[in-house]
Amino acid sequence: MTYNFHEVNLNLEVMALLPWTHAIQPVLLLVVVAAAVAAEEGRSSQNGGWRVGGSLADAGPCTIARVHSSNLSLAAFVDRYAYTEPVLIDGVDQNEAFRKECTRRNLLMAYGHRSIKLTTATSTSLGRPPVTLQHYIEHMMEPQALQTAANESLYHFGDTDRIQWKSVFDLYNFPEYEVPEMAPMISFGLGGAGTGVPMHFHGPTFAEVIYGRKRWFFYPPTADIRTSYHSDLSMLQWYIEDYPLLPLAKRPLECTLEPNQIIYFPDRWWHSTLNIDESVFVSTFLSPRV
């Protein structure tokens, strides 16, 4: 963690000109340094240099099935969850090398110059010019403002050049669980706090966060979501303004995904996400083997 002690020293020099501050300068030093620390709160080596621990959203309840990997065999996963319901699997720790590669510092050093595409909460990147990874991380991953429109809620997910990023993807170990006759393909993403994906559905998927936390919301394939979700809202707007007003009977299933966990949902389940922190994440999409 680094702090801007140049600004700290400048502030102390200014205060030293004021005669009444001489007696309390030790206290003032502590206050100013504390302010510098607070400005970088959550950006620690334990979190890979990513800002974790913000207050835009809380972790909320977990209302889907939850099981530890030591108590879930492949056969039991297929029988209980592969075709029926979402599940959060604890105790998953198989990507330490990938995790080390995905620290903020390592990504900036190795890939900061490379171009990436950004998507929005309206699920499109059409017409948006690419930016460098460095520009995105350093200037575009600030916590999202509530008034940010859905089509301006930017994050990076999926549009990663698989040749340029091959050395990173090769470090990733797929989940030990699988769905029969389905092949995996990974998508890599980075998102600032408050960004997220609106309600949509596709085939069965595993997902995990390498750093940060991501809150997931689910409805079964048969649900009519039109009265529960409005596509013109960003996920942060929906979470702050609409979600608290939903009757309990219309609230989605949900759970917050943290490192060393995997979330799985079956085919055609409605789902949306909200990044609570700066998040580095991977989704493993499953499709029929050819």
Side-chain angles (χ1 to χ4, degrees):
M1 187 181 295
T2 58
Y3 311 119
N4 193 341
F5 285 109
H6 172 74
E7 292 185 2
V8 172
N9 290 334
L10 180 60
N11 289 336
L12 288 176
E13 288 171 7
V14 171
M15 289 186 291
L17 298 178
L18 303 176
W20 58 269
T21 65
H22 290 191
I24 59 170
Q25 277 188 16
V27 176
L28 290 174
L29 174 59
L30 292 175
V31 171
V32 175
V33 170
V37 172
E40 288 295 312
E41 182 180 1
R43 214 182 269 296
S44 70
S45 58
Q46 182 181 2
N47 299 320
W50 303 101
R51 188 182 290 116
V52 173
S55 57
L56 279 179
D58 58 33
C62 186
T63 57
I64 65 173
R66 183 171 183 175
V67 62
H68 196 277
S69 59
S70 61
N71 298 320
L72 185 66
S73 66
L74 173 58
F77 166 78
V78 172
D79 181 58
R80 298 176 193 170
Y81 305 114
Y83 307 104
T84 56
E85 62 176 310
V87 59
L88 180 78
I89 304 172
D90 287 304
V92 178
D93 187 12
Q94 59 192 30
N95 276 302
E96 189 57 32
F98 185 79
R99 179 178 170 85
K100 288 179 180 177
E101 189 71 5
C102 290
T103 65
R104 188 176 188 269
R105 181 175 183 270
N106 286 349
L107 286 182
L108 283 172
M109 288 181 63
Y111 305 98
H113 63 287
R114 293 185 175 169
S115 295
I116 60 170
K117 294 180 181 178
L118 302 180
T119 55
T120 73
T122 53
S123 303
T124 179
S125 57
L126 295 176
R128 294 193 174 275
V131 299
T132 65
L133 180 67
Q134 179 175 356
H135 179 81
Y136 174 65
I137 289 176
E138 294 184 345
H139 302 288
M140 303 181 71
M141 284 186 66
E142 291 300 313
Q144 182 170 294
L146 179 60
Q147 61 270 26
T148 301
N151 62 356
E152 295 297 328
S153 178
L154 300 171
Y155 64 100
H156 172 60
F157 181 58
D159 282 327
T160 309
D161 189 306
R162 294 183 179 276
I163 297 176
Q164 290 189 355
W165 288 72
K166 185 177 185 301
S167 60
V168 179
F169 290 169
D170 284 350
L171 294 174
Y172 183 76
N173 294 309
F174 288 112
E176 61 180 283
Y177 303 99
E178 57 184 36
V179 177
E181 304 305 319
M182 303 293 274
M185 183 182 72
I186 70 168
S187 284
F188 174 77
L190 300 167
T195 60
V197 183
M199 278 289 172
H200 64 291
F201 66 83
H202 46 68
T205 301
F206 293 98
E208 64 178 304
V209 291
I210 310 304
Y211 293 104
R213 296 169 296 165
K214 183 187 292 285
R215 192 161 168 178
W216 287 75
F217 304 91
F218 298 98
Y219 285 105
T222 55
D224 182 356
I225 68 167
R226 289 174 296 180
T227 58
S228 303
Y229 179 79
H230 301 287
S231 59
D232 58 333
L233 296 179
S234 72
M235 277 306 298
L236 183 61
Q237 288 174 316
W238 174 83
Y239 170 75
I240 296 294
E241 298 174 357
D242 285 16
Y243 170 81
L245 302 179
L246 289 175
L248 290 180
K250 290 191 174 183
R251 288 202 172 186
L253 296 172
E254 61 179 283
C255 203
T256 293
L257 183 63
E258 300 185 7
N260 299 326
Q261 298 175 328
I262 288 179
I263 213 164
Y264 168 81
F265 55 90
D267 188 29
R268 293 184 173 272
W269 271 73
W270 291 100
H271 59 282
S272 60
T273 62
L274 178 66
N275 292 312
I276 298 177
D277 309 306
E278 287 184 347
S279 299
V280 182
F281 49 93
V282 173
S283 289
T284 300
F285 297 105
L286 304 180
S287 56
R289 295 186 185 277
V290 226

